[in-house]
Amino acid sequence: DGGITQSPKYLFRKEGQNVTLSCEQNLNHDAMYWYRQDPGQGLRLIYYSQIVNDFQKGDIAEGYSVSREKKESFPLTVTSAQKNPTAFYLCASSIPGSMNTEAFFGQGTRLTVV
Amino acid sequence: AQSVTQPDIHITVSEGASLELRCNYSYGATPYLFWYVQSPGQGLQLLLKYFSGDTLVQGIKGFEAEFKRSQSSFNLRKPSVHWSDAAEYFCAVGGDTGFQKLVFGTGTRLLVSP
C-alpha cells in the first residue's frame, strides 16, 4: 500500500541534543512538507520541498533543518537551537501544481523534551 | 497571504443531530479548499476538497461542504452525527497558482454526546 511512514511514533530528547525525525513516502510525490502541531494552534509549516535537492523555509523554520537527497525521504532535524521542541510533528506529501493536489499525511511523531 | 479562520474551538453535538463546522478563508485568487479530520494522536485524513465547479461537494463518511465565494466560507456539514465522528477537524486553503502550499485553520474539536 502507498503511503507516508513517520518514525518513531514517540521520541524523547534531552535538552541540548539534536534529534532527527524520519519521513518516507512511496507515493511518488515530488513535494514534501513538515508541519508542527501544538494544542490550539493548528498546523504550522516548518519546511517544504518541491523537488529533490531543493527545500524552502516555512513559517517557523528556526531551530530546524531538513535535507532532500532522495525523492522518497525528507528527514527533519530538531536542533538544540529550537527552544520549545515538544510538539506533534506531521509529515505530508503531494503532487505540486496538480488540479487534484491534496496533501497526504503520515501518522505523526510526538517529540518530548525531558 | 492566505489565511483560514475556524471560529469554533470546541463544538458539542448530540448523537443523531446535525452538524455544521464553520470555516472562513482569505485568499486573493481562486482558492482550493479542503477539510481534514484528525483522530487523537493520528495524522490527518482528507474528508473532501473543492477546486471548482459545483459549490456543494460531497466527501467521505457522509460529510459535505458548501463553497460560498461571497461569504469567503467553506462550512462542513453532516445531517446526522455518529459517536465515531468525535475528532478534530481542520479547514485548509491552497491556491491555483504556482506551488501548492496549504494553510490550515486552528481546528475545531467535535465532541459527541449520547
Side-chain angles (χ1 to χ4, degrees):
Chain A
D1 286 338
I4 299 177
T5 301
Q6 290 187 241
S7 61
K9 189 171 178 64
Y10 299 97
L11 188 56
F12 296 88
R13 189 195 91 172
K14 293 182 180 180
E15 286 194 26
Q17 284 184 336
N18 293 352
V19 64
T20 297
L21 283 60
S22 171
C23 178
E24 302 279 333
Q25 56 101 355
N26 59 5
L27 299 168
N28 201 33
H29 286 168
D30 286 313
M32 297 187 75
Y33 316 74
W34 274 105
Y35 288 91
R36 170 179 171 142
Q37 186 176 21
D38 297 281
Q41 296 194 46
L43 279 72
R44 293 182 290 167
L45 185 63
I46 305 172
Y47 268 97
Y48 63 99
S49 168
Q50 299 182 60
I51 199 166
V52 175
N53 294 321
D54 182 64
F55 50 83
Q56 285 80 40
K57 293 181 179 180
D59 302 316
I60 56 165
E62 185 175 353
Y64 299 97
S65 66
V66 294
S67 63
R68 188 82 188 278
E69 297 177 359
K70 297 186 300 181
K71 187 175 186 178
E72 304 79 23
S73 179
F74 191 42
L76 173 74
T77 297
V78 184
T79 74
S80 57
Q82 171 50 237
K83 298 307 179 188
N84 185 22
T86 295
F88 191 54
Y89 291 87
L90 287 162
C91 179
S93 71
S94 71
I95 304 171
S98 163
M99 278 293 292
N100 291 314
T101 296
E102 65 187 72
F104 291 82
F105 284 82
Q107 294 300 296
T109 293
R110 183 164 298 281
L111 173 63
T112 303
V113 174
V114 296
Chain B
Q2 63 241 53
S3 66
V4 175
T5 301
Q6 293 181 249
D8 303 307
I9 298 174
H10 296 101
I11 282 185
T12 300
V13 175
S14 299
E15 190 168 16
S18 63
L19 168 71
E20 182 169 29
L21 302 182
R22 295 183 290 166
C23 171
N24 291 96
Y25 69 90
S26 173
Y27 189 70
T30 303
Y32 287 179
L33 295 159
F34 306 81
W35 274 100
Y36 285 86
V37 61
Q38 183 183 35
S39 298
Q42 301 296 312
L44 275 66
Q45 180 184 21
L46 181 70
L47 284 176
L48 47 79
K49 58 190 177 185
Y50 171 80
F51 293 142
S52 64
D54 193 349
T55 56
L56 184 64
V57 294
Q58 302 296 321
I60 62 171
K61 304 185 180 186
F63 285 92
E64 67 178 26
E66 185 171 14
F67 171 61
K68 293 185 177 180
R69 185 184 297 275
S70 62
Q71 298 177 21
S72 297
S73 69
F74 189 57
N75 294 348
L76 182 71
R77 301 194 295 246
K78 187 170 185 178
S80 178
V81 169
H82 188 262
W83 63 266
S84 60
D85 293 323
E88 189 149 24
Y89 292 79
F90 291 93
C91 181
V93 64
D96 67 339
T97 56
F99 177 61
Q100 175 77 320
K101 190 175 68 170
L102 294 180
V103 172
F104 287 83
T106 52
T108 297
R109 181 166 298 280
L110 173 65
L111 305 173
V112 180
S113 61

